[in-house]
Amino acid sequence: MTGVVLLWVLGVLALAGGVLVFTLDSMARVTFALLGSLMCVGAVVTVLGLPYLGVVIVLMMVMEMVIMAVFMIAYMMNPAGLMPMSMLHNTRGALVISVAVFAALVAGIFVVPWPDRSPPRPRDTTVQVGVSLMGEQMLTMVTLGFVLLATMVGATALATRRGRYDRLGDDLDQRPAKDPAVGGVGR
Amino acid sequence: MTEAGTWWTLLAAPVLLLALAGLAVAGSALLDARDAGRPVRVATLGRPFLGVPRALLAQPRRLPAPDVLLWRAGVITVPVAAILSTLVIPFGGAVVADLSVGVVWFNAMEVLTWAGLWLAGWGPNAAFSLVGGYRFLAQGLAYELPLMFALISAATGAQSLRVGDVVAAQHGLWFAVWMPFAFVVYLAGVLAFSFLGPFAYPAGRDIADGVLGETSGVDQLLLQAGRWLWLASGAAMAVPLFLGGGAGPGLPGWAWQAVKTVLVLGLLVWVMRRLPVLRADRYVEFAWVVLLPVAVLQTLVPALAALG
């Protein structure tokens, strides 16, 4: 019973946070409204009996949203995202897409054949999550990991203006490297 | 073996944490006096606490166009997260909440200080305090991943995320002994998330105290308290993670936990006064090029031990 009440309260709070994302006009407030919404999602997952995933969602989302705030503020068109601004772009198209996605997800709730839980739920669900992610899906996880890493390295390599010849000279023999910011280990 | 959830633990945990933090502040004041050549008396220990009533009575500073809501949220988040992190730290046989994911809980609460400090920097609408907030994030990107791998090392050694199981897995041999590097990285992480000593860069003197600079009165008190509460909480968590928890000969569990926590806290206070402030850009490179690979290798040790 408490669980059901909690789920409803958290669900409504998550939605309210989502609405605030599009109604507030400050980049920082928008980011932290989104963070609040995602923390409610983490709490929902915890109440549903997956505390590991729930707490990890909170952990990762705090880090991601704070870093996102830095980049959102840095790359906004008006002076550094510091001025009031609207989060709405392409309002009609976005409305159509979001309504369609929402409808599809809600339909999914009713269409998916949910398993009826006949065996009792294990006390610690973290092991079950780990086994189902890392057991049969190990190949998927490893591939995904490498794809993500390659994407990050590739994107960084493409985005940076300076290459190794800028750092180490034409013969790659310049030590220490010529960097705009000197690092801590003197490479 | 750990008894969870009795009502008095809920009150005892914050009080104990506050007492530990106070002890650290007093110890630091004592070392301050000794280093400055002032006479060390009993009054020396109380000196930093004279600022508390002054801060409570101080008139708040007014600034043009602050984001009051976010500022308050950030300032409150830091000490509150520190207190929440103690929920999973066993003290002898008692713990507030024996969560099955206690180690992750501690980590998540610690990460909340990222949000708290950035907001505390953003809120006052002032350049230096925002720079301080950004500095903490740059520092966070450096210390967080090695710290996470240190926590993962302990959890892998115990094959459980429950702090009670981590303690139980250290019967015979402390994790600090066969995972020394994880222990050191963890202690460095504690100093980093309490932004004290070598990691006081976000509140650096070169930017007029950074995140602390524009705060006044109760706000400043809360942020400063948050630092020391985090130091105390980190020291208390080091004991179940790496030093065998309350295990020890002769004394009861809570006494050993207290003794070990005070020793770790003393070590941290002593070390943080010995090291110069590190610039985040320097520490980032050191963390990613040296600390992180070694932390990953350190995690491999308990992983192989678990497989073998």
Side-chain angles (χ1 to χ4, degrees):
Chain A
M1 187 57 211
T2 350
V4 176
V5 174
L6 259 180
L7 279 183
W8 273 102
V9 170
L10 288 168
V12 169
L13 283 179
L15 267 182
V19 171
L20 284 180
V21 169
F22 294 100
T23 48
L24 293 175
D25 63 353
S26 140
M27 216 62 223
R29 288 195 174 195
V30 162
T31 308
F32 283 90
L34 186 55
L35 175 58
S37 178
L38 290 167
M39 283 171 89
C40 289
V41 172
V44 163
V45 174
T46 308
V47 175
L48 287 177
L50 290 169
Y52 176 73
L53 286 188
V55 178
V56 162
I57 285 177
V58 172
L59 195 163
M60 298 314 289
M61 283 308 146
V62 173
M63 291 170 74
E64 277 176 31
M65 287 305 127
V66 177
I67 298 295
M68 192 187 82
V70 171
F71 281 96
M72 293 290 265
I73 287 169
Y75 291 135
M76 274 303 128
M77 294 309 153
N78 66 41
L82 299 171
M83 314 284 278
M85 59 165 296
S86 168
M87 283 294 286
L88 300 172
H89 317 283
N90 184 21
T91 31
R92 270 187 212 157
L95 197 64
V96 171
I97 293 170
S98 53
V99 166
V101 170
F102 186 75
L105 289 176
V106 171
I109 295 176
F110 295 104
V111 172
V112 168
W114 296 101
D116 38 323
R117 195 188 300 119
S118 36
R121 194 188 292 184
R123 216 175 128 248
D124 186 354
T125 48
T126 309
V127 177
Q128 278 72 26
V129 174
V131 168
S132 51
L133 278 182
M134 295 293 181
E136 292 160 28
Q137 300 297 328
M138 195 61 193
L139 186 64
T140 322
M141 296 303 283
V142 170
T143 316
L144 260 181
F146 275 110
V147 169
L148 277 174
L149 183 66
T151 312
M152 284 190 277
V153 173
T156 312
L158 287 176
T160 185
R161 197 157 50 86
R162 292 163 49 79
R164 56 185 163 153
Y165 293 106
D166 298 305
R167 295 191 67 231
L168 304 175
D170 290 343
D171 299 323
L172 297 178
D173 58 354
Q174 183 176 291
R175 294 289 186 283
K178 196 173 148 212
D179 285 329
V182 187
V185 286
R187 281 176 309 137
Chain B
M1 72 175 239
T2 40
E3 201 71 37
T6 28
W7 62 271
W8 56 267
T9 53
L10 206 58
L11 301 173
V15 171
L16 270 175
L17 187 69
L18 212 60
L20 270 177
L23 197 65
V25 173
S28 185
L30 196 140
L31 291 175
D32 264 337
R34 199 198 59 185
D35 291 353
R38 287 198 302 269
V40 177
R41 298 196 208 94
V42 183
T44 317
L45 294 172
R47 236 178 122 92
F49 301 104
L50 293 178
V52 174
R54 202 183 306 146
L56 289 174
L57 294 173
Q59 190 165 17
R61 188 179 300 167
R62 286 176 190 281
L63 293 158
D67 195 332
V68 179
L69 179 68
L70 292 188
W71 194 5
R72 289 283 180 285
V75 164
I76 292 169
T77 297
V78 180
V80 167
I83 288 171
L84 285 179
S85 73
T86 59
L87 292 189
V88 295
I89 304 178
F91 192 77
V95 62
V96 181
D98 192 20
L99 302 184
S100 63
V101 290
V103 176
V104 191
W105 171 267
F106 183 83
N107 200 190
M109 289 306 111
E110 175 266 307
V111 164
L112 276 182
T113 52
W114 283 43
L117 276 186
W118 188 81
L119 286 174
W122 167 268
N125 189 27
F128 279 160
S129 81
L130 185 59
V131 172
Y134 280 138
R135 279 185 174 189
F136 186 78
L137 294 190
Q139 193 164 288
L141 290 173
Y143 82 78
E144 191 64 52
L145 278 171
L147 174 67
M148 279 179 173
F149 274 100
L151 294 175
I152 290 171
S153 297
T156 312
Q159 297 186 47
S160 169
L161 292 168
R162 193 186 294 274
V163 183
D165 294 348
V166 178
V167 175
Q170 296 178 70
H171 274 307
L173 196 56
W174 291 355
F175 283 169
V177 177
W178 63 289
M179 302 176 201
F181 190 78
F183 184 48
V184 172
V185 166
Y186 173 80
L187 291 183
V190 172
L191 284 180
F193 61 64
S194 36
F195 57 113
L196 281 165
F199 299 98
Y201 188 59
R205 280 188 191 170
D206 53 334
I207 48 168
D209 281 355
V211 282
L212 298 171
E214 298 298 340
T215 54
S216 58
V218 181
D219 292 336
Q220 176 140 40
L221 186 66
L222 281 172
L223 270 185
Q224 289 281 16
R227 296 173 106 173
W228 292 93
L229 287 173
W230 264 120
L231 191 77
S233 175
M237 189 63 173
V239 178
L241 280 183
F242 292 102
L243 299 174
L251 297 173
W254 60 267
W256 273 117
Q257 169 85 25
V259 168
K260 291 175 187 173
T261 305
V262 169
L263 284 178
V264 174
L265 196 58
L267 176 76
L268 287 174
V269 170
W270 183 74
V271 165
M272 81 181 204
R273 305 169 48 82
R274 291 270 140 194
L275 296 173
V277 175
L278 293 166
R279 249 170 45 205
D281 54 341
R282 297 195 161 234
Y283 193 66
V284 166
E285 181 163 312
F286 175 68
W288 280 78
V289 175
V290 180
L291 287 187
L292 192 54
V294 190
V296 174
L297 285 178
Q298 175 74 91
T299 312
L300 196 62
V301 174
L304 288 178
L307 284 176

